[in-house]
Amino acid sequence: MLEIKQVPPTFPNIGVRVDLPALAFVGVDDGDIVGVGGLAWGGGRCWIWLQIDKPKPEYAIPLMRKTKALIKTARQFGDTEVYTPRDSCYATSEKLLKVLGFEFFGIEQIVDGPAVEIWRYVRT
């Protein structure tokens, strides 16, 4: 069963370099870290991010709940918009973002990386 736990953004086992102010979380299943994510602030935007190494269908509901909770946290910090890059490797990521209330925002070039779809959640 997936457990989602808050960790410091500098937590060594998350496998992602976080160099922005952030709230970080790890997903743990059967003692293994299976994913990381959280909120980060940079470039004048609030970002929600997720990296999952071993996806399972049963992770969908807890991840959706945590995403909604993080959007609420962003609102409490005064952010009316939350951005996220869409991982096009997952065919269902577009549908998931739409279900969560995100809308396509545009294509942006990542420094030293590929162009990425950016999606935005706007508080209504």
Side-chain angles (χ1 to χ4, degrees):
M1 183 168 119
L2 182 66
E3 291 181 75
I4 300 174
K5 302 176 181 184
Q6 187 167 1
V7 295
T10 56
F11 186 70
N13 296 342
I14 66 172
V16 175
R17 193 179 115 227
V18 179
D19 55 4
L20 301 170
L23 298 173
F25 296 85
V26 294
V28 179
D29 189 4
D30 205 20
D32 293 327
I33 294 176
V34 295
V36 297
L39 284 177
W41 290 267
R45 294 178 178 168
C46 176
W47 295 89
I48 195 164
W49 52 279
L50 171 67
Q51 178 180 324
I52 212 162
D53 296 325
K54 303 171 186 175
K56 292 183 180 177
E58 60 264 27
Y59 295 168
I61 299 299
L63 290 175
M64 289 177 66
R65 286 183 183 140
K66 179 50 82 176
T67 299
K68 290 177 182 179
L70 289 173
I71 289 170
K72 184 177 179 182
T73 299
R75 274 192 250 157
Q76 291 170 341
F77 281 121
D79 293 294
T80 57
E81 300 176 338
V82 179
Y83 295 83
T84 190
R86 176 180 167 258
D87 191 340
S88 58
C89 292
Y90 297 101
T92 58
S93 64
E94 181 175 352
K95 180 179 178 182
L96 178 61
L97 288 171
K98 287 179 179 179
V99 166
L100 289 166
F102 284 83
E103 297 177 350
F104 177 74
F105 180 71
I107 306 282
E108 294 186 7
Q109 184 69 38
I110 303 300
V111 177
D112 296 328
V116 176
E117 279 187 27
I118 303 297
W119 288 62
R120 177 178 66 174
Y121 176 91
V122 179
R123 182 177 127 191
T124 54

